[in-house]
Amino acid sequence: MAALMEEREIREEDAWKSTFRELGVTDVLCDACEQLGWKQPTKIQIETIPIALQGRDIIGLAETGSGKTGAFALPILQALLETPQRLFALVLTPTRELAFQISEQFEALGSSIGIKTAVIVGGIDMMSQALTLAKKPHIVIATPGRLIDHLENTKGFTLKMLKYLVMDEADRILNMDFETEMDKILKVISRDRKTFLFSATMTKKVQKLQRAALKDPVKCAVSSKYQTVEKLQQFYVFIPSKFKDSYLVYVLNELAGNSFMIFCSTCNNTQRVALLLRNLGFTAISLHGQMSQNKRLGALNKFKAKSRTILLATDVASRGLDIPHVDVVINFDIPTHSKDYIHRVGRTARAGRSGKAITFVTQYDVELFQRIEHLIGKKLPAFPTQEEEVMMLNERVSEAQRFARVELRELGERKKRPLEFITQDTEDSLVMRKKVAGGKLKRKAR
Ligand code: AMP
């Protein structure tokens, strides 16, 4: 079936020529796009919207930041306008943050037509979600596990009449062993529905899924090979592993005035580096999978509101998060799966803006780095650094490292105590106490 699938790929010169109206989008939704400042459709929107409006199933392959959400939200809202119905569409996503973000775009595009959405994700009270579902929203945006909880336990909630199913970040839904959940969901939702499957990268498992769930789909690709967006400047820095922290501080100083997302491989390292940077006077905050849902959203909101300029994250944040003002992505720990590189650097240079990505390569990472270069099909230039200046930072950085270690230990011990709930603010005040106690530690970022 895959061999016979209709495939479409837009030509570079045809992109950016169309208007939403020319794609067949109805006036009220064109107005909504205009209000959001979407002057023209993006490439993936140009390709998918007309096909979706014809009622075809779609496999959309598009890089992050390409406007994927609009590509599926607009046709769904248009169909909803034509035949209004409650519990009309289900969007499945692998992460909770992504679910909230997708619902924000649906609400923004559909505000003038009064659409109601419900976000059904883990980490939030089941009862209040059940009440929201009882009101029968038009669009449900969910992570698979929690949706199944409701399908099995919430009286009166069914998706038998569903008209649209979207799987966003579809390869991840499968990679993260959501396969059994997906099988359960597919069994209880209407067969008479349209299915859109969106993913930045395509795995064999996605091909497996398309057999199970799609009817005669059209494959729409913005680019057939893995590409990073054109306005993204990518660099590497080759450094000895023991000086990683000093190089990080050097790069942050060199590019001061920008907003940064720094990717680390473990939750512990995001916390350690966040504490280290805060000890040096940077406004850094961490986001990782061991934080409660409230803390994750809180961290993200502080960063979005620009009260923090540096977000330290594990790969939980590498996909799909819509953080419009990230200027620089730093791969402090190189990604072990090369495809994660594409997702991480996709946090910058979004929707036509420019951005930088800098990957730290130590003596242990050379092979992984070569794999990344192979995947993106180009050799990256070195980011210019002055070794002497970096070495001058060593003393201050080692002092901050010592403080960070102590603080991490204290946080760990506090978390072990029962009934104690440590918020991000408690972390902040802990750092503040140290700063006051340590006196001279705080250093202003240039
Ligand atoms: P997405 O790939 O869906 O995560 O979208 C990335 C960002 O692009 C979001 O902030 C959208 O609001 C924005 N966006 C989507 N479509 C357009 C468009 N046609 N013009 C400008 N911005 C857009």
Side-chain angles (χ1 to χ4, degrees):
M1 179 178 123
L4 293 174
M5 199 195 311
E6 192 177 331
E7 298 198 12
R8 303 200 183 179
E9 188 168 347
I10 195 157
R11 291 205 313 259
E12 195 66 35
E13 58 271 30
D14 290 338
W16 307 104
K17 276 187 190 163
S18 318
T19 62
F20 284 107
R21 207 159 264 113
E22 283 165 359
L23 299 181
V25 177
T26 190
D27 285 351
V28 56
L29 292 173
C30 289
D31 293 347
C33 293
E34 211 173 300
Q35 274 177 10
L36 288 179
W38 298 5
K39 294 193 178 69
Q40 288 163 307
T42 64
K43 289 183 206 168
I44 189 71
Q45 291 164 356
I46 294 173
E47 268 197 72
T48 50
I49 290 174
I51 296 166
L53 289 175
Q54 284 167 23
R56 301 281 302 267
D57 282 3
I58 285 175
I59 297 179
L61 280 178
E63 60 209 11
T64 39
S66 58
K68 280 193 288 179
T69 316
F72 62 75
L74 286 166
I76 289 177
L77 290 172
Q78 186 143 329
L80 182 61
L81 275 170
E82 282 161 14
T83 41
Q85 180 201 305
R86 299 283 170 160
L87 298 171
F88 188 73
L90 168 67
V91 183
L92 290 169
T93 80
T95 69
R96 300 165 183 183
E97 287 82 1
L98 203 49
F100 283 105
Q101 225 165 259
I102 291 170
S103 108
E104 275 167 25
Q105 284 206 43
F106 265 105
E107 300 248 340
L109 288 168
S111 64
S112 63
I113 54 171
I115 83 136
K116 296 270 172 293
T117 67
V119 176
I120 301 298
V121 296
I124 290 173
D125 171 45
M126 280 279 286
M127 244 347 256
S128 60
Q129 285 179 346
L131 289 174
T132 315
L133 289 174
K135 289 184 194 148
K136 298 203 167 29
H138 301 105
I139 318 280
V140 176
I141 300 125
T143 47
R146 180 53 70 95
L147 183 78
I148 288 179
D149 285 350
H150 281 288
L151 283 168
E152 289 175 349
N153 301 312
T154 299
K155 270 208 175 111
F157 173 55
T158 143
L159 292 173
K160 289 205 175 93
M161 301 301 287
L162 195 75
K163 293 291 179 291
Y164 282 84
L165 170 68
V166 181
M167 287 178 227
D168 194 38
E169 302 283 347
D171 62 341
R172 176 112 178 260
I173 290 189
L174 299 164
N175 281 342
M176 283 176 67
D177 296 331
F178 284 126
E179 222 174 337
T180 25
E181 280 96 336
M182 285 313 307
D183 286 345
K184 279 191 189 171
I185 294 170
L186 289 168
K187 273 196 198 115
V188 298
I189 62 176
S190 150
R191 279 170 189 276
D192 182 25
R193 58 151 205 276
K194 315 273 183 282
T195 307
F196 301 156
L197 196 148
F198 277 83
S199 192
T201 47
M202 177 93 151
T203 66
K204 289 199 180 79
K205 284 190 180 171
V206 172
Q207 279 166 351
K208 198 164 129 194
L209 185 87
Q210 95 203 14
R211 279 198 300 275
L214 302 176
K215 287 186 213 113
D216 189 21
V218 182
K219 186 172 146 198
C220 300
V222 161
S223 162
S224 52
K225 63 178 173 26
Y226 300 128
Q227 265 189 355
T228 40
V229 287
E230 296 130 35
K231 289 197 174 170
L232 172 68
Q233 290 178 284
Q234 303 172 79
F235 302 94
Y236 75 93
V237 208
F238 188 59
I239 47 176
S241 134
K242 69 174 188 176
F243 295 125
K244 259 176 129 175
D245 288 348
S246 299
Y247 270 91
L248 178 63
V249 174
Y250 172 86
V251 170
L252 292 174
N253 277 336
E254 282 300 299
L255 300 175
N258 288 299
S259 60
F260 296 87
M261 235 177 129
I262 303 176
F263 283 99
C264 299
S265 54
T266 63
C267 301
N268 196 53
N269 213 23
T270 60
Q271 259 192 318
R272 185 194 69 84
V273 181
L275 289 167
L276 170 96
L277 293 178
R278 281 196 239 159
N279 276 328
L280 289 166
F282 294 96
T283 55
I285 196 158
S286 52
L287 176 77
H288 55 75
Q290 280 174 12
M291 287 160 72
S292 71
Q293 184 57 20
N294 274 346
K295 275 167 77 180
R296 275 154 73 168
L297 282 176
L300 201 56
N301 285 338
K302 278 183 187 167
F303 184 66
K304 277 187 178 173
K306 303 190 185 182
S307 74
R308 303 288 190 280
T309 53
I310 301 172
L311 182 68
L312 276 298
T314 54
D315 281 303
V316 82
S318 72
R319 290 177 184 237
L321 287 189
D322 183 20
I323 305 164
H325 67 283
V326 178
D327 303 311
V328 185
V329 166
I330 297 180
N331 289 313
F332 182 71
D333 294 325
I334 197 162
T336 36
H337 302 290
S338 329
K339 278 183 193 167
D340 281 334
Y341 177 87
I342 313 270
H343 293 289
R344 288 181 180 191
V345 302
R347 302 302 90 217
T348 184
R350 292 161 78 78
R353 297 185 201 95
S354 56
K356 280 194 181 62
I358 302 171
T359 300
F360 282 26
V361 184
T362 71
Q363 64 272 35
Y364 309 115
D365 308 323
V366 178
E367 206 185 315
L368 285 173
F369 181 64
Q370 284 169 341
R371 259 189 249 160
I372 290 170
E373 285 192 323
H374 181 72
L375 181 76
I376 58 176
K378 57 180 152 199
K379 289 253 168 244
L380 299 186
F383 183 79
T385 53
Q386 296 287 339
E387 200 186 329
E388 285 149 38
E389 283 187 32
V390 180
M391 292 306 127
M392 275 160 60
L393 294 166
N394 275 344
E395 199 178 324
R396 239 184 346 244
V397 170
S398 331
E399 202 180 348
Q401 282 171 335
R402 263 199 310 281
F403 273 101
R405 268 198 301 275
V406 174
E407 284 158 2
L408 257 189
R409 234 188 347 258
E410 282 181 24
L411 278 173
E413 279 161 17
R414 299 183 82 188
K415 272 184 188 152
K416 274 187 222 145
R417 272 184 246 154
L419 298 177
E420 181 131 31
F421 184 68
I422 300 175
T423 65
Q424 200 66 44
D425 285 338
T426 341
E427 282 181 37
D428 279 345
S429 57
L430 195 68
V431 173
M432 286 311 294
R433 272 211 320 275
K434 289 289 168 199
K435 274 182 192 157
V436 175
K440 295 192 295 278
L441 252 184
K442 187 172 159 83
R443 172 178 176 273
K444 256 213 147 359
R446 260 193 288 151

